[in-house]
Amino acid sequence: MKITVKTGKFENINTPLLVVLLFQENKKINDWLKGLDKIVKGRVSEVFKARDFKGELNETMMITAPGSSGIKRILLTGMGKKKDFNTEKIRQVFGTAAKFADSKEIKRMTVNITAISETGLSKDDSGRAAAEGMNLSLYRFVKFKTENKKNEINLNNVIIHDITRAGSDLLKKGIRVGVLISNGVCYTRDLASNPPNLVTPSFLAEEAKNISKENGLKCTVLNRKKLEELKMNALVGVGKGSHEPPVLGILEYDCGIENAETVALVGKGITFDSGGISLKPGKKMEEMKFDMSGAAAVLGTMKIISGLEPGVNVIGVFAAAENLPGGSALKPSDIITAYSGLTIEVINTDAEGRLVLADALAYTIDKYKPDAVLDIATLTGAVIIALGHYSTGMLGNNSTLLKKVYSAGERSGDNVWELPLYPEFDEEIKSKYADLKNSNGPGGGTIFGASFLKKFVGKTPWVHLDIAGTA
């Protein structure tokens, strides 16, 4: 989708669809709307007088403009109450407008944001949210649909229009970042939506190599032989039941700033999770292709990291394996020695995510000495019971980092909620026969999963994001 910025009077607009964003407080024609009302011969003021449009969030009303106008149709789109407005609502209203235009097979639309300009929200944040809202609202996965023509996106050209020129450069900057990020998200969604007969650990390894070539990143892929040499027995063990060998993939972004901090992102990449010997129920097992969503998120981030140009070095790591039952698969009561040297009793082979992350986290911290590490994983069904599908579970060992991640989630529209990691939980993951056990039984599953991972990060500032409900 091409997104451009234009400023100036409504008289200069020529478009099949003009989207006008309005708040509930807009009870009459504002000064800036009078020019538009004149062009369309008072049809906007007629709507206001009749009170047919209230401006509630995502409310829409289409007005057909007179034939003499360069504007063919007007879509009034509500933004709710001004006092409640934020960047997440920008995403929503732009998504609403984009879906409307696309459903009407409109290829080009203009969106007037003058009302948003009056809120005090920064132009770059507004531009970023607008681009994200449109791109993400139109996302669809149709790769395997044989009738692709019916599923094509119609809308491909958007002009964001403002009466005033003030801040237009910042708006353009925000749009560029928003397009970049939403493209990364769509790539991540594609990876997760693909079937597991295509997306295997080796497939993810090839994706990492392609991303490194396209973006000038350093790429390292540790195959099964190397993992065994490094004694990553937790990661290797999870993959033993499958013919597909496990891998650890690493992408490195160097910001080029001397003494810059390093942030590590570690993703769980179970490309299919049957549960192993502790077999899952058959119902909805097809959804277990999404168990590599953490790895997909890391790869999506690294795909766009060079374009974002953050002032920190970033290490993107994913631990990938298939968790299947087989003659060589891990068994309940097996004891394995992880990369860190800690021994783990496998109580439940379906608690495999924490095993692959244990080795990935320990190796990443040992090798790269990051200033902060975040892992992202579809780790527990328990987090869905606790938080549903609208918030990610967040746990960690460093209050400053936890606050930063919480704040980032608010800005991006990806809400997180902190769960506790009290020392008492540590007692529940102690094993009778080994240092740790990988499952504690029912109750507090999300917290105990994080308590287990905490044993492999030491004092490094660390945040765990359980995305089982939000992936």
Side-chain angles (χ1 to χ4, degrees), residues 23 30 34 66 72 82 85 97 150 248 271 274-276 291 311 398:
F23 288 109
N30 292 22
K34 288 178 180 176
K72 304 306 178 188
K82 188 182 287 189
F85 199 66
K150 294 181 181 178
L248 187 78
T271 55
S274 70
D291 212 19
N398 183 281

Side-chain angles (χ1 to χ4, degrees), residues 153-389:
I153 295 171
N154 296 293
L155 183 65
N156 56 39
N157 193 328
V158 177
I159 296 168
I160 297 181
H161 173 260
D162 199 350
I163 297 292
T164 175
R165 285 182 179 276
S168 60
D169 286 342
L170 282 175
L171 186 63
K172 292 174 185 176
K173 177 185 174 184
I175 290 169
R176 187 192 75 82
V177 172
V179 168
L180 196 65
I181 289 174
S182 54
N183 285 345
V185 173
C186 290
Y187 169 80
T188 297
R189 290 177 175 181
D190 281 347
L191 271 185
S193 296
N194 268 298
N197 58 321
L198 174 64
V199 177
T200 60
S202 57
F203 178 92
L204 293 181
E206 288 303 312
E207 284 296 296
K209 292 174 186 176
N210 291 334
I211 288 170
S212 72
K213 291 174 185 175
E214 293 167 3
N215 297 278
L217 308 179
K218 181 180 178 182
C219 179
T220 306
V221 175
L222 305 182
N223 60 21
R224 180 171 183 160
K225 182 180 179 182
K226 185 64 177 176
L227 295 174
E228 289 173 340
E229 288 175 3
L230 290 167
K231 298 183 179 178
M232 291 196 195
N233 299 311
L235 173 53
V236 171
V238 169
K240 283 175 71 177
S242 171
H243 294 298
E244 286 285 341
V247 302
L248 187 78
I250 304 160
L251 287 164
E252 300 176 48
Y253 166 78
D254 186 343
C255 69
I257 300 172
E258 191 176 355
N259 298 322
E261 291 188 327
T262 296
V263 176
L265 310 174
V266 180
K268 173 188 171 185
I270 302 299
T271 55
F272 189 79
D273 181 19
S274 70
I277 298 297
S278 306
L279 192 68
K280 291 177 180 291
K283 187 178 180 181
K284 290 195 173 183
M285 193 192 282
E286 72 275 7
E287 294 183 0
M288 290 302 102
K289 69 176 184 176
F290 294 113
D291 212 19
M292 44 66 72
S293 294
V298 170
L299 284 168
T301 302
M302 300 310 292
K303 188 175 179 67
I304 64 169
I305 201 79
S306 296
L308 291 174
E309 297 181 326
V312 294
N313 301 317
V314 183
I315 311 296
V317 180
F318 62 90
E322 283 186 343
N323 186 25
L324 298 178
S328 301
L330 282 176
K331 304 174 292 295
S333 78
D334 279 357
I335 293 177
I336 52 179
T337 302
Y339 172 83
S340 69
L342 289 172
T343 56
I344 303 165
E345 181 186 8
V346 179
I347 301 296
N348 187 333
T349 64
D350 195 24
E352 85 299 329
R354 64 202 67 183
L355 296 179
V356 302
L357 286 175
D359 274 351
L361 285 166
Y363 178 79
T364 301
I365 290 169
D366 183 34
K367 173 85 172 172
Y368 296 100
K369 308 291 190 294
D371 298 281
V373 59
L374 287 78
D375 78 74
I376 180 166
T378 48
L379 203 73
T380 66
V383 79
I384 304 175
I385 305 301
L387 299 175
H389 293 280

